[in-house]
Amino acid sequence: MRRAAVYIRVSTQEQAQEGYSVGEQKERLIAYCKAQDWLIADIYVDGGYTGSNLNRPGIQKLMAETDKFDVVLVYKLDRLSRSQRDTLYLIEEIFLPNNVDFVSMQESFDTSSPFGKAMIGLLAVFAQLEREQIKERTKMGRIARAKAGLYHGGGYIPIGYDYDHDAGKLVINPYEAEQVRKIFEWYLSGGSLKSITDRLQDEGFTNKYGSYSSWSSVRYILENETYLGRIHFGDVLVEHAHEAIVSEEQFNAVQVLRGKRREQYGATAFQSKHWLTGLIFCGNCGGRYYLRNSGKYSYYACYSRTKQIKSMVKDPNCKNKNWKGPELEAKIDARIRELLHSPEMAADIAAHKPQAAAPVAENSSVEKRIREIDKQISKLMSLYQNDEIPTELLGEQISRLYNEKTTLQAAVTPVVEPTAMPFDLVQELIADAAQIWDFADEAQRRRIAQSLISRIILTDDEIEIEWAF
C-alpha cells in the first residue's frame, strides 16, 4: 500500500474562496486517498502562507520527512507553489531523488507517468504567470495609493508611527519617534548596529513589536526614507505625505556612512578588533591588506601576495611590500593626529577633493537579454495557443527561459550615485575625535578611523589616505 503525504495550503486571500479552505481541501484529498487505496502518512498544512516562496513551516516539514511517504498529494498545483522555480525544485530535487511521486488531484496527473512529467513544466509556467498577474494587480493598487499620498496599510507599520485607518496615513507615535531619533543620533556618533541594539535593550526601550531583540530592526530604521515624511513606491515619490521624524541632512549622512561601512566590511563589519581592519588596499593590484601575526611579530600583507584566501587574490603575481604592524600603524596614527589638530587641513581637503566620476551602468547587456527572453516566452505562448508547438517542448523551453531570466535578474545591480558626508558633520566629528583619540580604546579608534577615512592605499613605500569628505 502506498503511503501518501497530503499537503494543504491557503493564503489569507483564498481562505474564504470555495474549494480553497483548509477544511474543503482536506475533505477532498482524504476521499481521493481512500479511492486510490493509499495510506495517509501525514497531513501537512500551511494556513495563511503565500505560495510565492518556500518559507512555510508545513512545506519545510514535508521536505524533511520524505522517507515517511511514497507520494505527495495536493488539491491543485499552485497549492504546492506559485513559483515555477520552486515547483520544479521540489519535484526534481526533493521528491523524485527520494523516490517520491507528486500528484495534483485537480489537474489529474502524476509524475510517475511520462505525460505527467511533461505537463509539470507547462503547468508550473502557468502558475508562475498567475502569480505575476497577482503581483501586477497588487502593485497597481499600491501605486494608486502612493500617488494619493496614502500609506499602503496593513503589514508592517514602521516603528515611530501608527496607522490611521480612516485617513489612510501614518501618524507620529511620540514614544517610538523619540527612539528613532536616538538611533540616528547614536549611529552618526559612531555606534554600530549591534552597539545601538544593545543600548536600546539596556535602557529598556520597547516598541509596538516588543523589545529590540535584533539589530536588523535598527538597520531597517536607518535605511527607511519613510522617516523623511516620504512615500516611495516604484517610480512614485510623494514628499510630505506624513510628518517627518528625522531631517533630510541626518538621513543622508547616515546613508553615506552606511554605504562606506558596507563597502569596507560587507556583512562582517566590526568582527575584527583591530582599528585599521578593512581600510587598507594594495596600490598595485587593488586587493585588500590584512594583519598577519607570526610569533612575536605582526605585519600587514596583501592577500594577492600571500594567497591566504583564494577569493581575495586579485593578481597572483603581486609583489607589493609587507609592512610591519607597529610601523604602519604609527604612520597612519600620525596622519590622523595631524588632521584632528588642524581644522584648516580638513577644510583644504574638502575644498580640493576631486568630483567623483559618474557611475557607469553595467547592467545594459543583462537587461537586454531579459527583454529578449520575455519576447521569446511571448512567442512560445502564441505558438501554444495556435496549436503549433507540442506541450512537452513548450514546457521544457519555457522552463529553461524562466530559469535563465531568474538568474539574470538576480545579477542586476543598482547603480548608486556617489555622495559625500556633509562637511559640517565632518567638523563636528573631528572636534569630538580630537578630544578622545589619545585615550580611545581599539573599538573607539576603529569607529573614528572608518568615519574619517574611505581607504588607505599602499604602493611600495608610499601611503595614500583617501579621506571620507
Side-chain angles (χ1 to χ4, degrees):
M1 182 178 288
R2 300 186 81 187
R3 300 167 300 165
V6 172
Y7 179 72
I8 299 169
R9 181 187 68 80
V10 291
S11 67
T12 305
Q13 292 179 339
E14 295 162 343
Q15 287 185 17
Q17 292 181 7
E18 183 179 353
Y20 283 92
S21 71
V22 171
E24 290 183 62
Q25 288 186 62
K26 186 175 181 181
E27 181 182 339
R28 297 183 188 192
L29 293 171
I30 290 175
Y32 186 91
C33 289
K34 288 180 180 178
Q36 298 293 326
D37 198 26
W38 291 348
L39 174 68
I40 297 178
D42 206 344
I43 298 177
Y44 302 84
V45 179
D46 280 319
Y49 283 88
T50 177
S52 62
N53 58 60
L54 297 178
N55 297 326
R56 298 170 254 152
I59 199 70
Q60 291 294 325
K61 187 170 184 286
L62 182 145
M63 290 166 63
E65 297 180 349
T66 51
D67 59 327
K68 295 183 179 180
F69 44 82
D70 308 302
V71 59
V72 173
L73 175 66
V74 298
Y75 176 69
K76 197 167 179 256
L77 179 63
D78 62 10
R79 299 303 88 204
L80 182 71
S81 174
R82 288 190 180 275
S83 164
Q84 177 235 14
R85 182 177 58 180
D86 289 345
T87 299
L88 296 180
Y89 167 75
L90 287 169
I91 293 173
E92 296 179 353
E93 303 294 332
I94 303 297
F95 299 158
L96 296 183
N98 289 289
N99 298 314
V100 174
D101 290 321
F102 171 71
V103 175
S104 174
M105 190 184 96
Q106 190 73 7
E107 286 89 4
S108 300
F109 71 87
D110 66 77
T111 57
S112 62
S113 69
F115 182 71
K117 290 178 181 177
M119 286 296 292
I120 280 294
L122 176 61
L123 289 174
V125 166
F126 283 113
Q128 176 80 359
L129 291 174
E130 181 181 352
R131 176 179 165 240
E132 294 300 325
Q133 288 175 340
I134 291 171
K135 283 174 61 179
E136 184 64 25
R137 288 195 295 268
T138 302
K139 179 180 177 182
M140 289 174 65
R142 291 190 63 180
I143 288 174
R145 288 186 64 84
K147 285 181 177 178
L150 302 176
Y151 191 68
H152 59 75
Y156 183 88
I157 305 301
I159 294 170
Y161 292 102
D162 293 323
Y163 180 58
D164 184 334
H165 291 269
D166 295 331
K169 291 181 177 288
L170 295 176
V171 294
I172 291 280
N173 177 314
Y175 175 62
E176 292 183 355
E178 187 56 34
Q179 297 171 35
V180 171
R181 295 186 188 100
K182 287 181 181 294
I183 288 170
F184 275 82
E185 218 174 277
W186 293 341
Y187 191 81
L188 287 172
S189 297
S192 66
L193 298 180
K194 185 179 183 306
S195 68
I196 292 172
T197 304
D198 291 343
R199 186 169 177 180
L200 289 165
Q201 291 175 345
D202 293 342
E203 297 188 17
F205 287 109
T206 60
N207 56 68
K208 63 174 69 72
Y209 303 107
S211 62
Y212 291 86
S213 57
S214 169
W215 53 261
S216 60
S217 297
V218 173
R219 181 184 64 188
Y220 175 81
I221 287 171
L222 291 170
E223 296 176 351
N224 191 349
E225 61 184 341
T226 301
Y227 297 110
L228 290 171
R230 291 177 183 165
I231 288 179
H232 195 175
F233 184 76
D235 295 328
V236 178
L237 174 62
V238 178
E239 301 280 4
H240 312 300
H242 47 265
E243 187 178 347
I245 292 178
V246 299
S247 69
E248 189 162 356
E249 183 184 42
Q250 278 181 304
F251 185 84
N252 290 341
V254 164
Q255 304 324 301
V256 171
L257 194 52
R258 292 282 300 136
K260 190 159 73 68
R261 290 184 180 182
R262 279 194 297 267
E263 181 183 343
Q264 291 170 353
Y265 304 110
T268 59
F270 305 130
Q271 287 184 2
S272 171
K273 294 182 178 180
H274 197 269
W275 68 280
L276 287 178
T277 296
L279 289 175
I280 308 177
F281 291 79
C282 175
N284 287 346
C285 72
R288 289 183 182 271
Y289 264 71
Y290 70 106
L291 184 65
R292 298 192 74 180
N293 290 302
S294 177
K296 300 188 222 176
Y297 306 101
S298 66
Y299 63 95
Y300 288 89
C302 175
Y303 274 113
S304 294
R305 178 171 177 176
T306 65
K307 301 173 181 62
Q308 188 81 1
I309 301 176
K310 288 184 179 179
S311 62
M312 301 294 283
V313 175
K314 299 293 184 182
D315 178 4
N317 299 313
C318 181
K319 301 297 182 186
N320 206 0
K321 172 182 175 178
N322 292 338
W323 284 79
K324 292 180 181 178
E327 178 188 352
L328 181 61
E329 290 158 16
K331 288 179 179 292
I332 295 172
D333 175 81
R335 298 280 291 278
I336 290 176
R337 288 175 184 273
E338 183 183 2
L339 174 73
L340 296 181
H341 295 93
S342 175
E344 297 80 9
M345 176 181 171
D348 187 60
I349 291 170
H352 293 89
K353 188 177 182 70
Q355 292 294 317
V360 178
E362 300 178 353
N363 299 324
S364 55
S365 60
V366 176
E367 291 170 343
K368 181 181 178 182
R369 177 56 185 157
I370 290 173
R371 290 193 296 270
E372 290 173 354
I373 290 173
D374 287 335
K375 290 179 182 178
Q376 289 179 45
I377 291 174
S378 179
K379 289 179 181 178
L380 286 170
M381 295 305 296
S382 297
L383 290 172
Y384 173 71
Q385 290 170 350
N386 295 325
D387 294 326
E388 296 178 16
I389 184 171
T391 300
E392 296 87 348
L393 183 59
L394 174 68
E396 179 185 334
Q397 291 192 14
I398 291 187
S399 175
R400 176 179 56 79
L401 289 169
Y402 260 107
N403 284 335
E404 183 183 354
K405 180 180 177 180
T406 301
T407 302
L408 290 172
Q409 286 175 326
V412 173
T413 54
V415 178
V416 181
E417 293 288 344
T419 53
M421 187 182 295
F423 188 64
D424 56 345
L425 291 177
V426 173
Q427 289 177 309
E428 291 179 18
L429 177 62
I430 289 174
D432 293 340
Q435 297 180 39
I436 66 169
W437 183 259
D438 290 337
F439 315 101
D441 58 24
E442 200 81 351
Q444 290 171 324
R445 285 196 167 201
R446 180 176 61 245
R447 289 172 187 159
I448 294 171
Q450 63 112 29
S451 296
L452 293 174
I453 299 173
S454 287
R455 58 180 184 163
I456 300 164
I457 302 171
L458 304 181
T459 308
D460 299 324
D461 292 321
E462 297 296 320
I463 301 172
E464 179 187 355
I465 295 179
E466 291 186 0
W467 303 98
F469 51 90

